[in-house]
Amino acid sequence: MISFPTHIQIETSLACNSRCVFCPHKEMRRGPRNMADAVWKKIVDESRGRGIVYRPFMINEPFVDLRMPGIVRYIKQDATARVEFNSNGNVPAACDLPALIGAGIDLIRFSLDGASPESFSKSGRGGDYHAIVANILRFVAERDRQQSSCAIEVRMIDLPENREEQPRFLEFWQTRADKATITELYDWPWSGQTGPFRAPCPKIRSEMFFMTDGRAVLCCWDAFARGVVGDVNERTVEQIWLGEENQRCRDLLSRGERDAITLCSRCDAYQKFDFTRWPGY
């Protein structure tokens, strides 16, 4: 077990402006809606100077949280820190784009599951295709205007509805963003599985995840707090990472014993991962 995580994901808000058919967000009833400033600052303060990759989002759309430019600036007071985002591209008009880019974002991944309004509407994300394309291009233009080093990636989930358009999608975005990719759709834990895929989990080696109330969970796909391993309101980030419950779960998952953990007992992720070099497996 490494002494500290390399990646920390902080769910600063539960707000999302999409209704993706494959996401459990619409079924969540937990709170609070927004993480208190004191909580996310505590997480950041207790992990400074360690070269952490911070992802200030989890099961939400990060740019709906209008505090985000300030959050990024606070994180980037640490010269060793990186900040990454995943976004649906449905960016609110109130989002201060110049401030956001200027705060020092290192990477943004936009999800756009179509190369036309017709295929995008069938993907089930919701939103206006042309508006989202325009938003992504605005990010690119503002990044270039500021001569920022922020990398911008545009991704499409491989779906039957967009398969024929994938070459056109790649051709369009490879000339406008830094990277364009086609990714696989994954199943969230407890979304119909009757058992686990019996293998280790790559996430537990070096990543840590905090929900809006400050509780730490095993996975960014834990929509319903089934895998809580600590609470940053009661303990430090390091204490949770090195804590008995986190270590117990990590030991089980490193041996592929997903069925021994409630959250992971209905997870079939990473079926194509190469585990041949996994230590002790």
Side-chain angles (χ1 to χ4, degrees):
M1 177 177 180
I2 63 173
S3 61
F4 206 80
T6 60
H7 293 67
I8 295 180
Q9 203 149 343
I10 307 172
E11 187 181 61
T12 70
S13 173
L14 288 176
C16 189
N17 51 8
S18 286
R19 301 283 290 178
C20 304
V21 295
F22 51 80
C23 177
H25 180 277
K26 52 189 170 294
E27 301 165 13
M28 295 192 313
R29 299 294 181 268
R30 58 181 175 84
R33 179 179 173 86
N34 295 310
M35 179 181 279
D37 290 340
V39 176
W40 65 258
K41 285 182 178 179
K42 182 176 186 290
I43 296 168
V44 173
D45 290 343
E46 292 178 354
S47 52
R48 288 195 184 279
R50 297 176 181 262
I52 303 297
V53 176
Y54 295 92
R55 293 169 177 160
F57 65 93
M58 204 156 79
I59 308 175
N60 67 302
E61 165 52 41
F63 301 137
V64 174
D65 187 344
L66 300 183
R67 301 174 297 172
M68 201 52 71
I71 292 172
V72 176
R73 281 195 299 271
Y74 192 85
I75 292 171
K76 295 293 283 189
Q77 290 175 14
D78 174 4
T80 73
R82 282 179 55 86
V83 178
E84 299 180 353
F85 287 103
N86 288 6
S87 171
N88 60 29
N90 196 15
V91 182
C95 176
D96 190 340
L97 179 55
L100 195 55
I101 295 292
I105 299 173
D106 295 282
L107 171 64
I108 305 175
R109 302 179 185 92
F110 289 105
S111 294
L112 181 65
D113 299 332
S116 69
E118 292 74 25
S119 65
F120 180 75
S121 66
K122 293 176 183 178
S123 72
R125 280 191 181 271
D128 182 277
Y129 171 79
H130 291 298
I132 291 171
V133 170
N135 284 336
I136 298 172
L137 293 176
R138 283 198 305 120
F139 266 82
V140 174
E142 182 61 28
R143 186 274 311 267
D144 293 346
R145 187 189 71 80
Q146 294 191 26
Q147 298 182 331
S148 164
S149 60
C150 174
I152 297 177
E153 176 183 341
V154 186
R155 305 192 298 181
M156 172 190 280
I157 294 176
D158 177 27
L159 299 169
E161 293 81 4
N162 62 34
R163 204 155 285 151
E164 291 185 0
E165 293 186 349
Q166 289 174 12
R168 180 150 55 102
F169 172 89
L170 293 172
E171 181 182 6
F172 181 88
W173 288 109
Q174 283 171 348
T175 61
R176 291 165 174 83
D178 299 294
K179 185 177 180 181
T181 59
I182 308 297
T183 63
E184 292 187 45
L185 178 65
Y186 56 79
D187 295 321
W188 293 69
W190 290 82
S191 58
Q193 303 93 322
T194 57
F197 172 55
R198 298 183 185 280
C201 179
K203 283 186 177 294
I204 56 94
R205 290 177 123 178
S206 58
E207 299 184 46
M208 202 168 186
F209 313 92
F210 291 94
M211 300 189 302
T212 55
D213 63 1
R215 286 182 294 171
V217 289
L218 285 171
C219 180
C220 60
W221 298 335
D222 188 1
F224 303 102
R226 290 188 172 102
V228 177
V229 294
D231 189 333
V232 79
N233 296 292
E234 300 171 356
R235 306 174 72 192
T236 68
V237 172
E238 186 171 40
Q239 285 171 340
I240 297 170
W241 178 255
L242 298 175
E244 182 178 344
E245 180 61 14
N246 200 27
Q247 182 61 57
R248 183 187 73 84
C249 293
R250 287 165 59 86
D251 287 345
L252 289 167
L253 290 173
S254 68
R255 299 192 299 268
E257 298 178 25
R258 299 189 188 189
D259 51 332
I261 302 171
T262 300
L263 171 67
C264 313
S265 65
R266 298 293 184 274
C267 178
D268 55 8
Y270 297 107
Q271 296 188 47
K272 296 184 179 180
F273 190 89
D274 182 7
F275 290 104
T276 56
R277 296 185 179 181
W278 190 274
Y281 182 72

